Structures are given as structure tokens and as C-alpha cells.
Amino acid sequence: MVLHPLCTQISRLFDRVEHSFEAAGGQRRIGNLLILLFLGGLTGIELARWGLLPSAIIRLTPTNHLAAIELVFTVLLVFEVISLLLSLVYSVSISVGKQVEILSLVMLRNIFKEVSTLHEPVMWDEISGLVLNIASLALGALLIFVILSYYYRNVPEVLINSDERDTAAFVVAKKLIALLMMVAFAAIFAWNWWHSLFHGAPNQTFETLYTLLIFCDILIMLLSMRYGSSYRVAFRNSGFAVATLLIRVALITPPPYSALLGVGSALLVLAIRLAYNSYQPSRYQQQREQRRRPASSPVAALKE
């Protein structure tokens, strides 16, 4: 089957980007970068505490060494977001799982964010008011981790009947969406960090990203309807978009309510997955779905 040259170029570009991040060499480079950032962050904070940096840099440098952990977690989250965007091509179920994974990591990062504003050494009088927030975020992240372990066990590989050309076109469309989302995320990240560092504005990188993901989920659902649709698939994808909305709200809600919303969104994703797996379409629904699929074409194996 021959695709349009533009589609071929899009597919090749996506494959190169995916290989650079997901291959073993890419993972080693990411690991090395995180180590350097962590050590560099600790060194920079210590130099700033001793007044050995230019005054303009000292004003932007935190004084608590725990801020270096927050920095590394933030950069780690950036790479997790890239992995999430790459997964959009292969599976709606895996991509929504990645969204919940990122939420749990954001919650862990927020623990260090909470304590990075304290003085060193940490005193009980200062941290006592944060104990409830820290405990709720830690417990919420742990519960999400447990919920995801059950969720991924119930994500099977499913054969989807579709025309070979239509399947390839759908995959290319999702690759294009993923690439555009990466460009958008880079712009969101740069804009938020610039205004956060130099203008004191609140950093809303991940909040903005999840708002964009809601529209992305809906767009992919609408695209999939071009190649066949069913009630259960529409319900599952719409439910996942609602879960993304809950995650978005959790990111702007203070703890412990953010932890409750985060765990609730993970439970919703798991419940939708289990209900989808157990749903038995009626004979009429099966016939209706069959009529909506191209009749004369091979079967393409895709992850759902």
C-alpha cells in the first residue's frame, strides 16, 4: 500500500523522534541529564548560599537544597509527558494510564515543592502545618500506583477490523497530532517557565497541558469514528476524557483535596476499563458495528 508522500514524511519524523527518546541510548542520555541537573542544582544552591554567584542569579536561586529534587522531578515529568504524547499513537487506554502516572509523579514532586520553601535545617514549628498535605499527597500517589497496577492488567490487545489504508491513515493522523502536541508542550513549557522565573507568575505548565489533552482526547475519538464506531468505544473514550478533566482539576486543587481527586480519577479510569471489558453488546449492536466497517479489506492488528 502506498501512502501520500506527506504522510510518509510525517510517519518517518515521528519514528525518529520516538527512537531518540524511547530507545536504550535515549534513555541513557535522559538519565545522564537528570544526574547532571541534580548535582548542578545542589552545587548552584550551595554556591548561592555562600554568595559566590552573581547577584542576579542568586535572586533566582532557591536556598533550600530540597529544591534540587523538585527541579529533577520537574524535568523527569517533562520526559514522561513526551512518553505520554508518543503513546497517543498506539493506545487510548495506555495513554490515559500515562496521564494518571504523571499525576502521581506530580503529587510526589509537590511534596518536595511544599518543603522547599522552608528554612534549613527543617524545624518542626515550620513543617507541622504541612504534615497533612505531605501525608495526603504521599498516600494519594501510593494509591494511584496500586490502582494502575490493576488497570494495566486489564488492558488487552484487541484486533480491530479496518481497511488497511484507513488504518494507516488513522495512525498517521495520530502521529501528526502527537508531533503537534509536542510542539505545543514545548511552547507551553517555555512560556510558563519564563514568566515564572522572571515575572513571578505561577507555573501552570502541567495544568495547561492537561487542558490541551482534553481536546486531544476528543479529537482522536472523533477521528476514530471515521473508521467505525460503537457505543462502548464512544463511552470509553468520552469517559477517559472526563478522567483527564478530573486530573486537570486535581492539579489546581490544594491538598488534601487534590489527592482525593487524583485517586478518584484513577478509580474512574479503572472502573471504565473494567466496565468496557465486561460489556456485552447486543446482537443488534454487533450487526450495526459490522455494517459500519469496510467489508472487503484485510484485518489490521492494532493495540486498542
Side-chain angles (χ1 to χ4, degrees):
M1 182 196 61
V2 179
L3 288 174
H4 189 279
L6 179 59
C7 295
T8 303
Q9 291 300 318
I10 292 171
S11 184
R12 288 176 178 172
L13 176 60
F14 176 88
D15 293 342
R16 285 198 295 268
V17 172
E18 182 181 35
H19 181 76
S20 64
F21 284 101
E22 297 293 313
Q27 290 300 303
R28 282 194 295 271
R29 288 191 293 270
I30 291 172
N32 292 337
L33 174 62
L34 292 174
I35 292 170
L36 290 174
L37 281 174
F38 180 60
L39 297 178
L42 289 174
T43 303
I45 291 171
E46 188 63 27
L47 291 175
R49 287 164 64 96
W50 286 89
L52 299 177
L53 295 177
S55 58
I57 297 178
I58 291 178
R59 285 196 298 269
L60 300 175
T61 305
T63 57
N64 192 317
H65 291 88
L66 291 173
I69 303 177
E70 180 195 348
L71 171 64
V72 171
F73 259 90
T74 301
V75 177
L76 173 63
L77 285 168
V78 169
F79 291 116
E80 288 296 319
V81 167
I82 294 173
S83 180
L84 159 64
L85 297 178
L86 292 172
S87 72
L88 291 173
V89 174
Y90 300 103
S91 171
V92 173
S93 297
I94 295 299
S95 67
V96 77
K98 290 290 295 182
Q99 292 181 31
V100 181
E101 286 180 28
I102 290 172
L103 172 62
S104 67
L105 293 176
V106 169
M107 291 166 65
L108 292 176
R109 183 204 63 164
N110 286 346
I111 294 175
F112 294 102
K113 189 175 182 179
E114 290 273 351
V115 299
S116 65
T117 58
L118 305 178
H119 296 93
E120 287 188 299
V122 176
M123 305 296 292
W124 172 249
D125 290 340
E126 277 192 307
I127 201 172
S128 59
L130 301 176
V131 170
L132 177 60
N133 291 351
I134 293 171
S136 62
L137 289 171
L139 180 59
L142 175 60
L143 289 174
I144 290 174
F145 182 83
V146 174
I147 292 168
L148 282 174
S149 70
Y150 286 99
Y151 172 76
Y152 285 126
R153 294 178 198 175
N154 290 277
V155 179
E157 291 189 7
V158 178
L159 293 179
I160 301 176
N161 291 331
S162 180
D163 177 77
E164 185 181 358
R165 185 177 183 84
D166 283 347
T167 298
F170 183 42
V171 170
V172 170
K174 290 196 290 184
K175 287 183 176 182
L176 177 59
I177 292 172
L179 290 171
L180 292 176
M181 285 287 290
M182 288 182 199
V183 174
F185 176 65
I188 290 169
F189 183 85
W191 174 270
N192 276 276
W193 276 89
W194 176 269
H195 283 269
S196 175
L197 285 174
F198 298 106
H199 300 284
N203 193 317
Q204 297 183 328
T205 300
F206 298 104
E207 292 87 340
T208 307
L209 170 71
Y210 274 90
T211 301
L212 196 58
L213 280 172
I214 296 171
F215 295 100
C216 180
D217 290 343
I218 297 297
L219 177 58
I220 290 177
M221 181 190 72
L222 296 176
L223 279 172
S224 68
M225 294 180 68
R226 296 184 67 242
Y227 310 106
S229 63
S230 66
Y231 165 69
R232 56 178 175 166
V233 172
F235 182 88
R236 182 199 64 186
N237 292 352
S238 300
F240 284 163
V242 172
T244 303
L245 177 61
L246 286 178
I247 294 173
R248 170 67 175 86
V249 176
L251 289 172
I252 61 172
T253 306
Y257 303 107
S258 59
L260 291 173
L261 279 172
V263 173
S265 64
L267 287 172
L268 175 62
V269 166
L270 175 61
I272 291 171
R273 181 72 255 176
L274 294 176
Y276 178 84
N277 288 352
S278 62
Y279 185 87
Q280 295 294 328
S282 66
R283 191 180 191 86
Y284 166 73
Q285 287 176 314
Q286 292 176 354
Q287 292 173 347
R288 187 163 169 256
E289 292 173 22
Q290 191 62 38
R291 288 197 301 269
R292 290 180 172 183
R293 297 188 183 123
S296 58
S297 62
V299 175
L302 291 177
K303 287 185 178 179
E304 57 129 27

